[in-house]
Amino acid sequence: MNREESSAGVPARDKQAEEDLWQRHRAERGVWTESMLVALERGVKGNKWFSLIDKVQSMRTLELAWAKVKSNAGACGVDGITIGRFAKDSQNRLLAVNEQMKQSTYQPKPVKRVWIDKPGSAEKRPLGIPTVTDRVVQAAVRMVIEPIYESRFAGHSYGFRPGRGCKEALRRVGELLQAGNTHVVDVDIKGYFDTIPHDRLMELVRERIADGRVLGLIEGFLKQGVIEGTDWQKAKEEGTPQEGVISPLLANIYLDPLDWLMAGSGFEMVRYADDMVVMCRSQEEAAAALAKLKEWMAGV
């Protein structure tokens, strides 16, 4: 092998440049490779990724996904298998999932619905709990596809993104206030995660991914259905999996066109999941921003 090339066939880089590449895309080592990241930066043919299922179903990816699910703990799903029980035989369980995905026989189980207290209210809100196995598979899918969409997401989106969070969002709001953007349009989409239309969401997912088996997994998560007590409810044609590992990413994919619409219209928006503020310099600009938001929401 030429000394000027890496083992992945990528022109040799200095260590700092390589590290910068990984930091820039926040991809999971062991799932993504440096050559994939280079392709992500340079662009792939048709801007679509065609072969990803091998990454999702690989044992290395599933093991990393299981480690994430285990660290987040959480209750068991409809199959009654807890984190502790899964851990006792995790390798065999992951091997079984690996084989099911290879044979295209993996099917997500329904989500278990429970009701929990709503903070500061006498009301309760529904909580959907996928099985541990389904959480592992969702985590695997997310680790594989997230960098593809992250590379295109707007800079003013902060919720549920690698290396971003509330602090960064609040810092940006503070910067805009100091710059004179003191008229604020505050929008919170009520029941947002429950109202995302599946057909439009999948259209957006397909803009970047053309691997039919990965798309099938995502559609399977959207159509899991719900079990509450002994009652089974068919999945609706809208909404992302409640408490699903992949739900925040899907929600960001769905709202990304709005992010770019507002930016292209000259508005300074800061978005954290379904909570967003548009920072304006005048009342007239704020009214125009609100009208633009309403126009978008009416059209989706």
Side-chain angles (χ1 to χ4, degrees), residues 6 10-26 29 33-35 37-38 41-42:
S6 69
V10 180
R13 305 162 175 266
D14 62 74
K15 290 184 177 180
Q16 186 58 51
E18 289 182 8
E19 188 59 33
D20 289 346
L21 184 66
W22 285 100
Q23 288 297 320
R24 193 154 56 247
H25 294 289
R26 304 274 180 173
R29 297 176 191 266
T33 64
E34 185 183 346
S35 60
L37 292 181
V38 171
E41 291 212 330
R42 293 177 178 174

Side-chain angles (χ1 to χ4, degrees), residues 28 63-76 82-84 127 129-132 135-136 138-140 142-143 160 243-246 248:
E28 190 76 39
E63 287 165 355
L64 289 169
W66 158 237
K68 289 180 179 294
V69 170
K70 183 180 179 181
S71 68
N72 289 331
C76 64
T82 62
I83 290 287
L127 182 69
I129 307 173
T131 66
V132 174
R135 299 204 296 265
V136 169
Q138 286 190 31
R142 178 170 180 165
M143 284 191 292
F160 306 109
E243 308 303 319
V245 177
I246 202 170

